[in-house]
Amino acid sequence: MNRFSNFLWGLVLVAIGLILGLNALGITSINLFFRGWWTLFIIVPCFIGLFKPNGKWGCFIGLLIGIFMLLAAQGILSFELIAKLMVPFILVAVGLGMIFNNFLTSSISKKIKSIDKNGLESYAATFAEQKIDKTNEEFKGANLDAVFGSIKLDLQKASINSDQVINSSSIFGGITILVPSNVNVKVKSTPIFGGVENKAGANHAENVPTIYISAFCLFGGVNIK
């Protein structure tokens, strides 16, 4: 969580504390449990998530859903109408997210396309768990697909001699990628109610290989360490 996200969460907690305190002293009578108050558990986290480096589009979709549900709880919209439009709305939003994500990360996309190649090793975990250890092996890229499952790819002691690509898809699943300290990592992600967390430290040394990670997350996540 970045500093600005911490700042926003701090403001939320301070505001709630002040309201509760003033209500207790009889100075105010603000009702925190208004009709649809529960939608704030969707709206607030999604709004704050917009200020994180990754996963903004999924947070934007969640924010709109939360606002629509609040309007329905207030009687401005009907839940029946929202239910009918929910699936079309999500499909359109996901499609737009994928389209605009390609434009926003065009430089990385071009680099991935230039070095991506057929014949990459492919690993899949469907309702299962798979661990891949590349210790003392030369790594030449991979395709990772986790569907209701998890994949752990350990490259910490692998031999990486040139730029490589990892195409990852996480659908209701999780993917963990452990990278060595002597490489750069660049990520292109399309998160839909999911996200990519890149904890790999930046390597500022010249002439070191770069691992390009193309990640699609649908109710799933990719963790890079």
Side-chain angles (χ1 to χ4, degrees):
M1 186 181 299
N2 58 36
R3 293 181 179 179
F4 192 64
S5 294
N6 283 334
F7 174 74
L8 292 176
W9 276 115
L11 284 180
V12 170
L13 294 176
V14 168
I16 293 174
L18 287 175
I19 291 172
L20 291 174
L22 292 174
N23 284 349
L25 294 173
I27 298 175
T28 61
S29 58
I30 300 174
N31 182 14
L32 290 176
F33 298 100
F34 54 88
R35 285 189 301 170
W37 63 271
W38 49 270
T39 60
L40 295 179
F41 288 103
I42 302 173
I43 294 172
V44 173
C46 288
F47 175 76
I48 294 176
L50 294 176
F51 299 93
K52 294 181 179 180
N54 296 304
K56 294 182 180 180
W57 193 253
C59 290
F60 178 70
I61 296 174
L63 178 62
L64 290 181
I65 291 174
I67 291 174
F68 288 148
M69 295 182 75
L70 175 60
L71 293 176
Q74 292 286 324
I76 299 174
L77 297 176
S78 69
F79 279 107
E80 182 180 358
L81 176 62
I82 292 176
K84 289 180 180 179
L85 296 178
M86 187 66 70
V87 172
F89 169 76
I90 292 177
L91 291 175
V92 170
V94 169
L96 290 175
M98 297 175 71
I99 292 170
F100 284 109
N101 183 69
N102 286 330
F103 287 110
L104 294 174
T105 58
S106 58
S107 60
I108 298 179
S109 298
K110 290 179 181 178
K111 183 64 178 179
I112 290 174
K113 188 175 181 179
S114 69
I115 64 176
D116 198 0
K117 46 190 176 294
N118 295 324
L120 293 179
E121 293 183 315
S122 296
Y123 303 94
T126 303
F127 292 99
E129 178 184 12
Q130 185 165 179
K131 296 181 179 179
I132 305 105
D133 189 348
K134 287 295 182 178
T135 298
N136 299 325
E137 296 182 27
E138 184 177 0
F139 179 68
K140 295 184 178 181
N143 296 316
L144 308 177
D145 296 292
V147 181
F148 291 96
S150 66
I151 295 177
K152 181 178 181 181
L153 175 62
D154 190 347
L155 302 176
Q156 294 178 100
K157 296 182 180 180
S159 175
I160 303 175
N161 302 314
S162 60
D163 294 349
Q164 300 298 336
V165 170
I166 298 176
N167 298 308
S168 63
S169 176
S170 176
I171 301 175
F172 291 94
I175 295 175
T176 299
I177 303 172
L178 306 179
V179 300
S181 58
N182 61 339
V183 299
N184 288 315
V185 175
K186 293 187 178 181
V187 180
K188 170 201 168 188
S189 64
T190 304
I192 309 297
F193 296 107
V196 176
E197 187 172 10
N198 184 7
K199 296 181 180 178
N203 193 317
H204 300 291
E206 296 182 0
N207 301 321
V208 297
T210 298
I211 298 178
Y212 292 88
I213 299 176
S214 176
F216 174 75
C217 305
L218 177 62
F219 292 97
V222 175
N223 193 8
I224 307 162
K225 301 180 180 179

